[in-house]
Amino acid sequence: MNTRAFVTAVVLAAAASTLASAAGSAESSDLAKRTFQNAEQLMHEGKTDQALKAYQQIIQSFSESSLVDDALLRVGSFHYPTLKIAELGSVSAAEQEAARPSFELIRDRHPQSDSAPEAFYKLGLLGLEPDSARKNLDEAYASFYSVVNVYPESDWVPSALLGAGEAEFEKRNYDRAILSLERSLEGAPHGPVAAESNYLLGLANVRMGDFVRAAEVFQACRIEDEKSSTASRALNWITLVYKLRLIPAAGAAVDYTPDSGFVPRLPAGEDFRGEIGLAVSPAAEILVADPRRAGLFVFAEDGTKIRNEPMEGARRVAVDAMEKIVVASETEIRIGAEGFPAGRKAGTSVRRIEAPAGVWRSSAGQTFILDTKEGEFLVFGADPTDPKVVNRDKDAGTRLEMMAAGPEDRIFLFDTRQKQILVLENGKVRVFKAQATPPVIEDPVDMAVDALGDLYVADARQKSIFIIGPDGKKLGRIAPPAGTAAELTDPAALAVGPKGEVYVYDARKRTILRFR
Amino acid sequence: MTLESGRFSASAEKPARGALALIASLALLLPAASAALIAPILAGVEEEDIASQIAGFRAILDEGIGHLSSLDFPEAVESFTRVIDAYKAGKIPMVTPDAHLLVAKAFEGRALGFANQGKNGDASADFESLIRFDPAYTIEMKGISSKIITLYLGVRKKIVGVVTFEGEPIGSEVRLNDQPLGVTPIADKDWIAGSYHLVITHRGFDPYEEEIRVDAGGKLPKRFRLTPNARSVLILTAPRDVKVFVDGQEMGTTFGTAGAIYDPVATKLGLNRSDISEPLLIEYLKPGEHNLTLRKECFGAVTSTLPIKIDPGSNEPTTFEPFVLTPSRGTLDVDSEPSGAQILLDGQSAGTTPATIPGVCAGKHEVSLAKEGLGRSIESVDVGNGDVRKIRAALRLSLAAIDLRTGLHEAEGLAAALKGLKRYNLVTVGNGIPAEAADRVRLEMESSQGRGISDKTLKDLFQSLKVELIALAVPGSSLGDQTEFQLYSPSHSVPDRWSFDTSGAEGMRRVLFALEADLAVESAWSGLKLIDVYGRSHPVVLGVTMGSPAAVGGVVAGDLLVSVGTTPIQKASDLLPVLRKAAPGDDAVLTVESAGKVHDVKMKYLSTPVLLSMKDSAILYNKQIADIRQVAATASEASKRSFAWMNIGVAFMHFGRYEEAIREAFKRAELPEGAGISKGTVRYLVAICYEKLGLSNDARTAYLDASASATATLGSHDGPLLAPSARRRAAALGSQPKS
C-alpha cells in the first residue's frame, strides 16, 4: 500500500466512526457544498492531494451532508478509475485496496444515494481484477446484480450486466454469461458497452459451440465501433470462426496458402538458426525466443521488428491465459515484466529448472512448466520453489517433450515415447482421445493451440502441419508441395495467430513462414 | 353646467349680492373646469403646474370678490388689478377656459369696483378691455344698478357692431382675420368694429374671400353663394351591407332598404325593392372618373367607374342605378391523414373528414382539423366562385413548451429554441398556454423539487391545452449550469429526462433536433447477414433470412457481396447506409461473388420493422409513443399497425410501465407466427414484462411459448433468433425448456 492509499484508508476508517455524530444544518450544508466545489476545482486543476483532503474533510466533518456519497465516490474513483472490463488490470493492487473502503462505505451507509449504483459496479470490477488477491467472481457477480436488481433504472445497469457476464464467463458458466450479456444488450443495444458486450457474447457463443451466432455478434461488435481495438479483435475471431468452423461445417475444406509477402526482417546478414521458440500475441505480434541471440524478438504482423528484450538462453515463449508474455530460459522464467524464479527446494537452496520445454500460466494463476531434463510436468502456485508434479515420465511411462496451452486452460502434451497426445484438463492428464480418425503424427517437433482450442502439430518427417479440432478430428493440413518456396523443409517451431494464421519456423531455410 | 351659467352679479346698492354671486360662480365653475376641461387641452403641458398657477390667481380673484362683498372697493380693485397685471405680463397661462374666465371676471370685477367708487372713466376702460378681450362675454345685468348697465352698454355700443352671414351652402365656415366666427347661418352676432378679411369655406366648394368693415353700433348683413367644385353621389346596392370603396378608400357600408321611389328600378332590374339598400351618400367627389369597388362576403366583387360632373345650376348628389352583386361560392373537399378529424371552418363546426362542404363563400378561410390524440392541422384556403378546393392535410401533433427557468432572456428560452419546429404544432406560454397553467406547473415542480408533475395536473394540462406532448425546461443541478429537459406524453406520467449544459452555443437547440428527428421503425429489408473476414476484399454472407429478397434472389451463405448498385461494398457496415437510403419496394441489383464467379442478383427490397432500443439515451421515448400512436391509428395494413403497437410497448417498457406495455400495446400487436419479427417476438417481449413484474411463472410460460417460434427474431427480420434466448431465460426462471 502506498502512502497516499494508506492515508486514505485511515481517513476513511475515521470517517466511518464519525459518520453518525456530525450535526447537520443549513449552514454546514452550504459549507459542505462549497468545500465540495472547491475539491472539484482542485481536482480539475490537477491538485489531487489537496482535492483528496477536501473530499475527506467532507466525509469527516459533514457526515450528514448529501455530498458525502459524492465525496466517497470521488475518492474511490481517484484510486480506482477503472470503468470498463477492458481496463481491468490497469490499476495496482495497492490502489485497488485504497479505493475499496470508499465504495464499501457507499454500499453500506449510502445505499439510497445516487452514487450507490456506481459504487456497487466498482466493487464488482474490483472482484474481477486479475492480479488481485481478493479476486472473487461470486462477489463480483453479486455486486453487479445488486446494480441490476436494486437500481434497475440506473444507467450502470448495462455495464453491470456486462460485468456479471464476465464473471460468469470466467467461471465458464457460458450459458449464464450469455443470459447477462443478452440482457445488457437488450437494454442498450447501441449503448456505451454494446461493443464489449457483443464481443464477450461472441466468446461465450464460441465456447457454447454456436459459431453462427458468435460470428453474428462479433460482427455486431464491429458495427458498434469499427475503429476500436475490440472491433479489431472481433474481426480476428470472425476470421478464425469462419475459416475453422463455418467453412468446414458447410462441407468445404480448410485451405491454407503461403503468405509469400511475409518475411521477418532481421538486420542484414542475420537469420534464425537452430532451436527457437515461437508464439503470437493477441495483437498479432510474432514473438521469437532465440537462445542463440539471447533474447526475445518481437515482430509486427508485417514482419518489421518492433523490439527485442535481452534474455540469456531464452528458449520458449507463450502467451498465457491473462495474455501476458511468458518466456522460459535456461536461467529464468519471466511472466510479463516480472521474473518467476521457478525451481525445486534442495536443502536450503533452490535448484533451478534448467531445461523448460514449455511454460504457461493458467487463468487461476498457476504456472505449468514442462521440465524435460527431469522428465516432470510441474505446476507452481504462489511459491515458485514448491511445485507439484503433475506427471513424472518415469512413473507414467511417458516422455513428454512438447506442450502447448489454449483456452479454458487446456494444456496439450506430446508423449514421444507412446506417440500420443495428452491433455491436461481439470488438473488431470489424460490421453487425448479422438472422436474421429486422427492424423498420424510421425515426427512431432512442436505444437500450438489456437483460440478455438484447435491443436496444431508440426511434423518434421511429413513436412506438414496438422490441424486437429477439439474432438480430435483433423481439420486441415498444411503441406506445401516439395520444391516450392513454401515447402516445409525442416519445420522446427510453430505458432498460431489470432486470425488462425500459422507461423512455422523452418530451421533449414532459417526463416519463419506464414500460412493463411 | 356651462360657462355661461356663471354670472357676475353686483351693484352699487347691493354690492354684496354681486360679490356673492361671483364667489358662487367661481367656486362651482373653476374646480369643475379644471377637472373636466383642462385635461384634454393641456397636451404636453405640465398639468399640475398650470393648475396650481391658475389656482393661485383664482385665490387672488376670490380675495377681490371678498373685498367687493365687504364693500372694500379700493382693496377689491387692488386684488383684481393684480390679476389683470399678471395677465398683461403674460404670467397667466391662457390655455384653459377657466383661465379665460378668470381674466374676464377680473376685468368685470375691477370695472364694478371702479364704478362703485364713482370712477366711471376707469370703469369704462375696464368694460372696453373686457369686451375686446371677449366680445361674446356679457355681464350679468340682474341686480346691477342701471347706471352701471348704461355705462357698460354705452361702452359696448362704441366698439361693437353686429354681423349676419347667410347663403349657400348652409354650414359654411366663416372666419374674420383668420379668427373663426362660426358656421352659417350666423345671425346678429356681436363683433368688435374694424376692418376684416372675410373667408367663407365649405368642403366641395371654392372658398369665398372679401375685405369687409364692421362699424361700431352698425349691422353688416352678408349673403353669399359658394361655387361647387365637387359633387356627391348616392350609391345603392343589392343586397345591402356592401362595403363601398372609391379609389381604393373605404367610404362606408350600404344599409337599410330603399324607399318606394325605387320600385321602378327594382322592377327593371328584376329585383325586389327590399333587396336594395338605402342610398349611401358619398360626398364631394372631385370632377372626373373615380373607381368604384363594391365588396361583400360571399358575393363577387363589383367594380365600376363613377363619372363626376359639376352642375353649377343644381349640384345635387348624383344617384346611380343600384349596383347588383351576385353570390360567389365554392366547395371545399377536405380530408386528413388520419381521417375522422373534426373540421372547423372559420371556427365553426363543419363535420369530420373526409367531407365535402358546399356553399363556402368565396374568399380566404381558415380550416382547422383536429383529432384527439392524433394531432391537428390548420390550413388557409382561398376559394373562388365555383371552385372545388381540395385540402389534404396530414395532422400534426401539438407540443406545449414551458420554460421553468428564471432570469433568462427570451431568446434563451425553450420557446425560442423550438422556434421553427416543423414536426409539431408548437404551443407556448401566451400563445396557446395560459400563464396560469405555466404557473401551476412551476409551483408543482418547485414543491416536488424537480421530480415531476402530478398525474392530475398532467391530465388537466393535456386536456386543456389539447396537445399530445408537453416539454419542460427545468433548472438542473445546482452544481453546474445544467438544464433538465422533460418530455411528457398523455399515456403516462413518467417523462423523458435529458440533463445537459446549456451554456454552450448549441444549448437548447439540441432539443429541437431531437424533436424533429424521424426515428426509423421500418427499414428496407434485403435479408443479408454479412460478416467481415480478414483477407477478403468484400464481406462474406453469413446467412440469408428465409423468404427475404436476397434469399429469393439466390444469394447463399459464403457468397461475397461485391456491390449494391453502384455502391461498392468492402466491409459489412458499407451496406447500412445503402439500406438507410433505400425504401421498401425499391429495386436493387446485388453484385455477388459466388464460388469465384461474379453475377448480379436483381431484387426488390421488402420492409422490415425495426424494434426500438429499450434504453437509448438519444431517444425521446414519449415522442416515440406519440409519433407511433399516429402510425398505429392510421396505417392501412394490419401488420404495420401491429408493429407500431409493438414499438409503443417497447417504449412503455423503457419507462418501466410493464403492465401498460402488455395491456395497452402488446395485446394489440396481433402478428402471425413466422420468421422474423412475428408473434414469437411479441411473446418474448411480454415474457420480459412478466419477468420485470416479478411474475415468474407467467414469464416462464411466455418464454417457453416464444421459444417455440424457431424462426422469430429480435431487432428486425434479420435480427438474432430469439428461441435460444427464450429457452435460456425460461431455464433461468427454474424450468426446463420445451423440447
Side-chain angles (χ1 to χ4, degrees):
Chain A
M1 188 180 290
N2 64 20
T3 308
R4 193 171 58 198
F6 175 74
V7 168
T8 301
V10 170
V11 168
L12 287 171
S17 68
T18 57
L19 269 172
S21 61
S25 67
E27 195 178 335
S28 70
S29 167
D30 186 51
L31 190 55
K33 185 176 166 184
R34 278 188 277 128
T35 307
F36 188 85
Q37 285 171 333
N38 181 44
E40 297 279 84
Q41 182 63 29
L42 289 166
M43 191 61 86
H44 181 70
E45 291 169 1
K47 298 171 182 170
T48 53
D49 285 345
Q50 292 175 55
L52 287 173
K53 280 180 187 165
Y55 288 130
Q56 286 155 1
Q57 189 184 349
I58 294 163
I59 296 163
Q60 283 182 299
S61 307
F62 305 103
S63 58
E64 297 298 308
S65 166
S66 62
L67 293 168
V68 168
D69 62 291
D70 296 284
L72 284 165
L73 188 62
R74 295 290 198 281
V75 172
S77 296
F78 173 77
H79 292 295
Y80 187 66
T82 301
L83 284 172
K84 294 179 172 182
I85 299 291
E87 293 165 2
L88 288 170
S90 59
V91 174
S92 73
E95 288 290 319
Q96 289 172 31
E97 292 315 304
R100 192 185 298 274
S102 296
F103 301 136
E104 288 175 343
L105 271 175
I106 296 171
R107 178 192 65 191
D108 298 339
R109 298 179 186 266
H110 303 277
Q112 303 301 322
S113 71
D114 56 1
S115 304
E118 187 174 347
F120 273 102
Y121 175 68
K122 292 264 188 172
L123 286 168
L125 289 179
L126 284 170
L128 292 178
E129 278 295 341
D131 292 326
S132 170
R134 296 181 64 178
K135 177 172 180 174
N136 186 320
L137 297 176
D138 290 332
E139 280 184 13
Y141 183 85
S143 292
F144 288 131
Y145 260 92
S146 293
V147 180
V148 177
N149 294 327
V150 183
Y151 312 99
E153 302 304 319
S154 166
D155 290 341
W156 290 102
V157 167
S159 301
L161 284 164
L162 169 60
E166 174 71 25
E168 291 291 7
F169 185 85
E170 287 195 31
K171 287 164 70 180
R172 300 182 194 164
N173 290 333
Y174 302 121
D175 217 30
R176 289 175 62 83
I178 290 172
L179 202 62
S180 292
L181 295 166
E182 285 183 343
R183 281 186 173 142
S184 173
L185 290 161
E186 177 182 284
H190 306 293
V193 296
E196 270 191 285
S197 296
N198 273 309
Y199 182 76
L200 190 55
L201 186 58
L203 294 184
N205 275 290
V206 165
R207 299 293 173 242
M208 291 292 288
D210 189 345
F211 299 106
V212 173
R213 177 69 179 139
E216 204 172 70
V217 291
F218 280 131
Q219 185 61 45
C221 165
R222 285 182 55 70
I223 297 286
E224 282 306 312
D225 186 1
E226 237 169 355
K227 291 177 181 168
S228 69
S229 60
T230 309
S232 174
R233 295 178 74 163
L235 177 62
N236 293 343
W237 270 106
I238 296 171
T239 306
L240 189 66
V241 164
Y242 181 68
K243 187 178 185 79
L244 291 167
R245 294 293 181 273
L246 301 182
I247 287 179
V254 178
D255 258 353
Y256 284 90
T257 52
D259 184 355
S260 57
F262 174 77
V263 179
R265 295 189 192 120
L266 290 168
E270 291 191 18
D271 53 20
F272 295 112
R273 290 187 195 190
E275 181 190 5
I276 66 166
L278 203 57
V280 183
S281 76
E285 292 169 341
I286 300 110
L287 314 169
V288 181
D290 187 347
R292 194 169 60 86
R293 280 200 191 75
L296 174 71
F297 293 80
V298 181
F299 297 88
E301 200 173 3
D302 63 1
T304 54
K305 188 174 134 188
I306 298 174
R307 65 179 188 279
N308 71 301
E309 298 168 14
M311 189 173 179
E312 199 65 39
R315 293 177 59 195
R316 291 285 161 191
V317 61
V319 178
D320 74 6
M322 283 164 274
E323 301 188 349
K324 288 200 172 173
I325 296 172
V326 182
V327 187
S329 75
E330 290 152 7
T331 56
E332 103 177 278
I333 289 168
R334 195 189 295 167
I335 301 173
E338 294 176 10
F340 186 80
R344 298 177 184 86
K345 284 178 186 165
T348 55
S349 62
V350 174
R351 188 161 48 88
R352 302 298 291 273
I353 294 169
E354 293 174 12
V359 60
W360 199 69
R361 190 174 59 157
S362 73
S363 55
Q366 295 174 307
T367 304
F368 292 86
I369 297 176
L370 177 61
D371 182 352
T372 49
K373 186 174 180 187
E374 300 289 338
E376 286 180 342
F377 179 46
L378 305 169
V379 58
F380 292 82
D383 185 350
T385 63
D386 186 20
K388 285 182 183 172
V389 178
V390 182
N391 187 83
R392 181 174 288 124
D393 282 345
K394 65 182 178 185
D395 295 341
T398 56
R399 189 166 69 235
L400 303 183
E401 289 192 292
M402 282 158 267
M403 73 171 268
E408 296 183 314
D409 297 330
R410 255 181 145 206
I411 300 176
F412 292 93
L413 300 149
F414 206 99
D415 172 10
T416 53
R417 175 172 292 166
Q418 305 284 341
K419 291 213 171 169
Q420 63 182 355
I421 298 167
L422 306 178
V423 62
L424 175 72
E425 276 179 332
N426 302 319
K428 291 184 179 175
V429 175
R430 63 173 177 80
V431 175
F432 178 54
K433 285 184 179 169
Q435 293 167 3
T437 310
V440 176
I441 310 294
E442 296 176 3
D443 182 13
V445 288
D446 199 8
M447 296 196 301
V449 181
D450 69 18
L452 288 168
D454 303 320
L455 178 67
Y456 296 64
V457 183
D459 187 327
R461 187 171 301 156
Q462 299 187 66
K463 298 181 179 179
S464 298
I465 309 297
F466 291 97
I467 298 116
I468 304 163
D471 58 357
K473 185 181 174 184
K474 189 180 91 176
L475 281 174
R477 177 180 178 180
I478 303 171
T484 63
E487 181 189 6
L488 298 174
T489 55
D490 184 11
L494 178 65
V496 190
K499 293 184 276 287
E501 68 275 34
V502 178
Y503 293 87
V504 184
Y505 166 56
D506 189 319
R508 186 172 297 167
K509 291 182 176 174
R510 298 175 185 173
T511 189
I512 296 169
L513 304 169
R514 179 161 71 189
F515 298 87
R516 290 188 186 278
Chain B
M1 187 179 286
T2 63
L3 286 173
E4 285 73 25
S5 65
R7 292 297 179 211
F8 187 74
S9 179
S11 67
E13 290 82 11
K14 296 178 180 176
R17 262 179 66 200
L20 287 172
L22 186 60
I23 292 163
S25 69
L26 283 172
L28 290 168
L29 272 172
L30 294 179
S34 61
L37 300 171
I38 291 175
I41 292 168
L42 299 184
V45 183
E46 293 291 337
E47 285 184 31
E48 280 186 22
D49 289 352
I50 292 170
S52 71
Q53 281 183 52
I54 291 172
F57 290 111
R58 189 176 64 182
I60 299 168
L61 186 74
D62 289 346
E63 190 181 288
I65 291 166
H67 288 309
L68 271 185
S69 64
S70 307
L71 307 181
D72 295 331
F73 300 115
E75 289 82 356
V77 165
E78 191 180 331
S79 294
F80 294 131
T81 300
R82 286 172 64 194
V83 176
I84 291 164
D85 287 349
Y87 162 67
K88 288 180 176 171
K91 292 178 180 173
I92 299 178
M94 300 301 291
V95 292
T96 63
D98 55 343
H100 188 89
L101 187 60
L102 183 81
V103 174
K105 292 290 182 194
F107 279 122
E108 182 181 7
R110 194 169 73 171
L112 291 175
F114 282 136
N116 277 300
Q117 292 179 77
K119 296 178 179 174
N120 286 351
D122 291 337
S124 296
D126 275 348
F127 279 136
E128 183 173 344
S129 295
L130 173 59
I131 293 161
R132 289 190 184 281
F133 177 72
D134 184 358
Y137 184 92
T138 54
I139 65 170
E140 176 57 59
M141 304 215 182
K142 280 184 185 173
I144 298 178
S145 73
S146 58
K147 283 185 182 173
I148 294 175
I149 291 170
T150 304
L151 180 65
Y152 169 72
L153 293 176
V155 172
R156 188 167 183 87
K157 190 175 179 182
K158 282 183 188 168
I159 60 171
V160 173
V162 175
V163 293
T164 296
F165 292 94
E166 291 176 340
E168 291 183 7
I170 291 168
S172 297
E173 187 190 11
V174 179
R175 299 178 78 89
L176 294 176
N177 284 0
D178 208 29
Q179 273 196 303
L181 186 67
V183 174
T184 62
I186 299 169
D188 293 337
K189 180 152 179 133
D190 287 349
W191 202 251
I192 303 297
S195 296
Y196 293 95
H197 179 69
L198 165 69
V199 177
I200 302 173
T201 56
H202 193 287
R203 189 174 158 224
F205 293 85
D206 292 336
Y208 174 81
E209 298 184 41
E210 184 185 350
E211 300 300 324
I212 61 167
R213 178 167 181 76
V214 178
D215 293 327
K219 286 192 174 183
L220 176 64
K222 195 73 191 172
R223 292 200 62 79
F224 65 91
R225 181 183 177 86
L226 301 183
T227 305
N229 61 13
R231 193 165 186 182
S232 300
V233 295
L234 292 170
I235 301 291
L236 297 91
T237 63
R240 68 184 71 83
D241 298 327
V242 171
K243 283 185 178 174
V244 179
F245 299 83
V246 174
D247 298 330
Q249 188 181 354
E250 186 172 344
M251 309 303 283
T253 303
T254 60
F255 61 97
T257 304
I261 188 174
Y262 292 100
D263 275 335
V265 177
T267 305
K268 176 186 165 191
L269 296 174
L271 300 169
N272 289 324
R273 178 164 59 81
S274 60
D275 293 335
I276 301 173
S277 72
E278 281 186 25
L280 176 71
L281 177 66
I282 297 171
E283 292 183 299
Y284 308 121
L285 299 178
K286 292 288 179 190
E289 291 193 338
H290 295 268
N291 294 321
L292 173 73
T293 305
L294 303 171
R295 294 186 193 279
K296 179 175 169 69
E297 196 177 0
C298 296
F299 287 81
V302 168
T303 56
S304 184
T305 302
L306 294 178
I308 302 298
K309 287 182 182 172
I310 305 293
D311 182 350
S314 171
N315 205 36
E316 290 299 309
T318 307
T319 303
F320 291 89
E321 193 171 83
F323 293 95
V324 180
L325 282 72
T326 53
S328 177
R329 293 173 189 277
T331 299
L332 286 178
D333 176 3
V334 188
D335 201 355
S336 63
E337 179 62 36
S339 61
Q342 188 188 15
I343 305 169
L344 292 180
L345 176 58
D346 297 327
Q348 301 295 313
S349 179
T352 55
T353 58
T356 302
I357 309 169
V360 177
C361 295
K364 290 182 178 170
H365 298 275
E366 186 181 89
V367 181
S368 169
L369 306 171
K371 188 166 186 180
E372 191 176 346
L374 296 176
R376 63 194 63 245
S377 174
I378 297 174
E379 309 286 328
S380 290
V381 63
D382 196 350
V383 178
N385 188 27
D387 283 356
V388 178
R389 295 300 302 270
K390 285 189 178 180
I391 294 177
R392 297 287 179 267
L395 300 190
R396 291 198 310 171
L397 303 178
S398 296
L399 177 141
I402 302 174
D403 201 324
L404 302 179
R405 298 170 300 167
T406 53
L408 294 174
H409 295 298
E410 194 178 328
E412 296 169 330
L414 180 60
L418 298 183
K419 198 174 177 186
L421 181 66
K422 293 189 178 77
R423 190 181 191 92
Y424 304 106
N425 302 306
L426 181 62
V427 182
T428 55
V429 177
N431 182 21
I433 304 176
E436 312 86 70
D439 289 343
R440 184 177 170 188
V441 173
R442 180 173 286 108
L443 280 173
E444 212 165 291
M445 193 61 78
E446 283 170 4
S447 65
S448 75
Q449 296 184 319
R451 283 194 299 276
I453 43 183
S454 70
D455 289 3
K456 184 177 184 317
T457 300
L458 266 181
K459 194 175 173 187
D460 290 350
L461 282 172
F462 277 115
Q463 276 185 352
S464 62
L465 300 178
K466 297 190 190 312
V467 296
E468 286 74 29
L469 290 165
I470 294 176
L472 305 181
V474 183
S477 158
S478 58
L479 289 175
D481 192 8
Q482 292 278 312
T483 287
E484 184 171 272
F485 173 75
Q486 298 182 355
L487 186 69
Y488 295 83
S489 78
S491 302
H492 63 105
S493 58
V494 187
D496 288 295
R497 292 173 185 272
W498 277 6
S499 281
F500 49 83
D501 191 340
T502 48
S503 59
E506 195 180 23
M508 293 293 290
R509 291 290 285 179
R510 73 188 67 184
V511 174
L512 174 68
F513 303 141
L515 288 170
E516 294 284 26
D518 196 1
L519 192 67
V521 288
E522 185 187 9
S523 165
W525 180 41
S526 67
L528 289 167
K529 289 185 187 179
L530 302 178
I531 52 171
D532 296 318
V533 175
Y534 191 86
R536 305 290 170 108
S537 50
H538 304 287
V540 175
V541 176
L542 176 66
V544 287
T545 308
M546 199 167 53
S548 67
V552 171
V555 181
V556 295
D559 288 351
L560 304 183
L561 181 64
V562 176
S563 63
V564 177
T566 57
T567 307
I569 306 293
Q570 291 170 330
K571 55 186 188 302
S573 59
D574 290 343
L575 183 63
L576 299 179
V578 175
L579 291 176
R580 272 198 290 271
K581 280 184 198 165
D586 286 357
D587 291 319
V589 178
L590 311 181
T591 302
V592 170
E593 185 183 326
S594 187
K597 292 179 180 173
V598 176
H599 67 280
D600 285 348
V601 173
K602 290 184 180 174
M603 62 166 216
K604 198 180 277 287
Y605 289 115
L606 293 177
S607 164
T608 175
V610 177
L611 268 189
L612 280 179
S613 300
M614 229 173 284
K615 206 159 194 171
D616 185 334
S617 60
I619 296 177
L620 291 168
Y621 286 87
N622 276 322
K623 165 187 157 61
Q624 295 308 323
I625 289 175
D627 288 353
I628 304 173
R629 263 184 193 281
Q630 270 195 319
V631 178
T634 58
S636 55
E637 295 168 42
S639 60
K640 282 197 175 181
R641 291 198 296 274
S642 291
F643 292 143
W645 282 117
M646 192 167 56
N647 267 329
I648 291 170
V650 174
F652 275 125
M653 289 172 76
H654 165 80
F655 290 111
R657 312 293 284 209
Y658 300 108
E659 285 180 24
E660 285 98 329
I662 297 171
R663 193 178 61 239
E664 293 182 22
F666 293 139
K667 280 197 174 169
R668 301 188 199 186
E670 295 168 345
L671 291 171
E673 287 284 4
I677 301 290
S678 57
K679 192 167 190 171
T681 314
V682 179
R683 283 183 186 141
Y684 186 86
L685 293 169
V686 168
I688 294 176
C689 291
Y690 282 139
E691 191 180 352
K692 296 282 187 183
L693 290 167
L695 304 171
S696 298
N697 287 335
D698 292 330
R700 192 169 55 237
T701 304
Y703 278 130
L704 289 174
D705 281 350
S707 71
S709 302
T711 52
T713 59
L714 294 168
S716 73
H717 284 338
D718 293 336
L721 297 175
L722 59 82
S725 295
R727 276 195 287 275
R728 207 172 278 123
R729 286 186 163 208
L733 286 168
S735 172
Q736 291 305 308
K738 284 178 181 173
S739 59

